[in-house]
Amino acid sequence: MPVDVAAEIISNRPLSADYNVLALSAPAIASAASPGQFVMVKVGATLDPLLRRPFSVFEVLRSSDGTPTGVTILSKRIGPSTSLIYDARPGQIAACLGPLGRPFTVVDPPADAWMVAGGVGLAPFATLAESLRARDVKTVLFYGARRAAELFYLDFFRERNVELVLTTEDGSFGEPGRIVAPLDRRLASRAAAAPVMVYACGPEGMLAATARTAMKYGRPCQVSVERVMACGLGGCYSCVVPMRGEDGLFHHVRSCLAGPVLAADQIKWD
Ligand SMILES: Cc1cc2nc3c(=O)[nH]c(=O)nc-3n(C[C@H](O)[C@H](O)[C@H](O)COP(=O)(O)OP(=O)(O)OC[C@H]3O[C@@H](n4cnc5c(N)ncnc54)[C@H](O)[C@@H]3O)c2cc1C
Ligand code: FES
């Protein structure tokens, strides 16, 4: 069950001129969150912006004895709410509702896990990497950004034995270009009998390209879609995605309830 808390901001760490990591004191949400779930957050008491915004749970914070104490969100500043989040100060209160939505299905060996992240789409993969490591799953992170300075938390993933495949659009680090290119090559060279689950989060065009690539090689793929969400609870229909139903026809489903993690091969992409 989601809980609604007035969460104290523990810290706010800027990563760049646009990205920051906000830590929230929210033990009940931290205890219940699974990889891929999200929270609806609003910082400050002003009426503008009126509505909370959705953010993936980035990390689960724990005390020294392992008790969950809070969550962090990785935020990219693109408008009013994310600007308030970027400028938030420790001690301020954030309205925080969660955890919401359906999480990723965490695979077990012998399946490998290949996580594909574009930009701020990295957010759901920190907790997923933790869960995969606990199950001894061999994990690769394909991570693409515009430039080297926008590739974050690389050591976090290295410390969890995640292999990194990195691309930048301007060629300033890793392979130049988009992240789907190395994913395609790697899928092409993988033995058909070796199972792999592809997980993806990022801009819609990247998700569509990842989904098509996984389908081309007959691999299962789960995507975390980032539609505009006004309520996060199924009440407003702002977040619908066309999905194939059991009758074989496409129906609009609310991605805040049925997702945000959805089976890539059931989504209508064009
Ligand atoms: C399930 C889910 C998880 C998310 N997780 C994260 C996360 O971990 N970190 C993060 O930084 N962002 C995440 N987002 C996106 C985040 O919710 C938006 O960036 C945020 O709502 C922007 O709020 P704003 O008030 O700053 O800007 P707004 O004024 O609301 O938006 C600025 C511009 O961006 C567009 N926009 C807003 N939301 C989206 C969206 N979801 N996709 C595409 N365009 C959009 C608007 O139409 C507008 O043009 C997530 C979204 C969803 C649905
Ligand atoms: S965000 Fe309101 S129905 Fe999904």
Side-chain angles (χ1 to χ4, degrees):
M1 270 296 284
V3 287
D4 194 1
V5 296
E8 185 175 337
I9 294 169
I10 305 166
S11 65
N12 183 5
R13 184 176 157 217
L15 301 179
S16 72
D18 295 314
Y19 284 81
N20 70 305
V21 175
L22 195 71
L24 302 169
S25 173
I29 294 176
S31 312
S34 297
Q37 288 190 297
F38 66 99
V39 285
M40 296 293 289
V41 174
K42 182 181 156 184
V43 168
T46 58
L47 289 179
D48 181 24
L50 185 63
L51 300 173
R52 304 180 194 199
R53 300 291 198 266
F55 294 87
S56 299
V57 172
F58 181 43
E59 298 156 289
V60 170
L61 305 172
R62 295 177 190 278
S63 61
S64 52
D65 67 359
T67 308
T69 56
V71 296
T72 70
I73 57 173
L74 169 68
S75 174
K76 181 182 181 188
R77 177 161 59 169
I78 63 162
S81 289
T82 46
S83 295
L84 286 172
I85 287 171
Y86 191 86
D87 295 332
R89 292 182 312 281
Q92 261 184 292
I93 298 298
C96 184
L97 171 70
L100 296 165
R102 295 208 182 165
F104 290 114
T105 306
V106 185
V107 293
D108 284 302
D112 285 3
W114 293 2
M115 307 182 297
V116 188
V120 77
L122 181 71
F125 293 134
T127 54
L128 182 60
E130 303 259 15
S131 293
L132 291 164
R133 189 175 68 147
R135 294 176 182 223
D136 257 343
V137 176
K138 211 171 149 215
T139 303
V140 182
L141 173 65
F142 296 81
Y143 179 18
R146 292 205 180 131
R147 56 188 78 90
E150 292 187 0
L151 289 166
F152 305 113
Y153 271 63
L154 302 186
D155 286 341
F156 175 99
F157 288 96
R158 286 190 188 109
E159 284 159 16
R160 286 153 182 82
N161 294 332
V162 176
E163 180 192 338
L164 298 181
V165 176
L166 305 172
T167 60
T168 50
E169 286 176 27
D170 69 357
S172 51
F173 197 82
E175 182 177 319
R178 302 253 164 103
I179 196 60
V180 179
L183 172 72
D184 191 316
R185 289 199 305 272
R186 194 82 174 247
L187 283 171
S189 64
R190 189 168 174 86
V196 59
M197 168 68 98
V198 178
Y199 302 97
C201 185
E204 188 117 346
M206 186 218 94
L207 286 189
T210 302
R212 288 195 188 99
T213 305
M215 284 188 264
K216 183 167 84 175
Y217 296 103
R219 301 298 191 170
C221 177
Q222 294 191 339
V223 295
S224 177
V225 296
E226 294 197 352
R227 288 293 157 107
V228 173
M229 287 186 183
C231 75
L233 290 167
C236 72
Y237 286 74
S238 67
C239 64
V240 294
V241 173
M243 294 274 297
R244 195 188 307 278
E246 283 172 9
D247 56 5
L249 303 173
F250 287 103
H251 303 273
H252 282 97
V253 303
R254 289 163 288 179
S255 60
C256 63
L257 294 182
V261 175
L262 297 168
D265 61 353
Q266 301 305 308
I267 297 176
K268 187 176 185 189
W269 287 105
D270 35 56

